[in-house]
Amino acid sequence: MKLEDMDFTDVRVDLEHADEIMSRFGLVRAGQWDYERVTYDRKFEIQQHTFYLRVQGYAAEGDIGGRHALIQFMTPLLGKHYYPHGVEYGEEENFPSTLVDQCKRILSQIHSELQSVQAS
């Protein structure tokens, strides 16, 4: 599910600030990056189901591998994990409303903090 009302496409920040802010809200980058793209995930386990809040971005300038990049963010996603197939984001997925609300609150706080350090 795209969290369209939490649009992050207006945000560009350097990788170091992005990593720090995302980490404070439980979103980790781990090994989910390449030289041009980055993904931050937060895992939620609810009643034997696993969900992921995912914020993706790409290097508008620089190189993520070199740790010197300006990240342009994309619209956040909420997905449900199905073992062994992976994460599904489709609108036909059933997401608990409490989870959706919690994710929107988290994203709102992240968006505010990212905007406060946004590159000009």
Side-chain angles (χ1 to χ4, degrees), residues 79-116:
K80 184 174 182 180
H81 183 264
Y82 291 95
Y83 179 83
H85 304 292
V87 180
E88 295 291 331
Y89 304 100
E91 294 300 321
E92 66 279 354
E93 297 299 327
N94 189 11
F95 298 101
S97 60
T98 55
L99 174 62
V100 174
D101 292 343
Q102 180 181 6
C103 289
K104 287 181 179 182
R105 282 192 304 275
I106 291 166
L107 291 170
S108 177
Q109 293 172 319
I110 290 171
H111 189 264
S112 292
E113 290 203 27
L114 289 172
Q115 282 188 314
S116 72

Side-chain angles (χ1 to χ4, degrees), residues 15-34:
L15 180 62
E16 184 178 323
H17 283 117
D19 283 350
E20 181 214 330
I21 291 168
M22 294 297 187
S23 175
R24 278 194 307 222
F25 290 94
L27 282 92
V28 295
R29 178 163 55 106
Q32 300 176 113
W33 63 273
D34 62 23

Side-chain angles (χ1 to χ4, degrees), residues 12-74:
R12 292 175 104 180
V13 300
D14 68 74
L15 180 62
E16 184 178 323
H17 283 117
D19 283 350
E20 181 214 330
I21 291 168
M22 294 297 187
S23 175
R24 278 194 307 222
F25 290 94
L27 282 92
V28 295
R29 178 163 55 106
Q32 300 176 113
W33 63 273
D34 62 23
Y35 294 100
E36 297 173 355
R37 295 180 300 259
V38 65
T39 300
Y40 297 93
D41 283 336
R42 179 168 170 175
K43 182 178 182 179
F44 296 88
E45 293 178 341
I46 301 171
Q47 298 177 351
Q48 300 176 342
H49 297 285
T50 302
F51 301 91
Y52 286 93
L53 172 60
R54 178 164 282 178
V55 180
Q56 298 173 306
Y58 59 90
E61 296 176 20
D63 179 326
I64 292 169
R67 299 209 40 88
H68 299 289
L70 183 62
I71 305 300
Q72 172 70 55
F73 285 98
M74 300 162 62

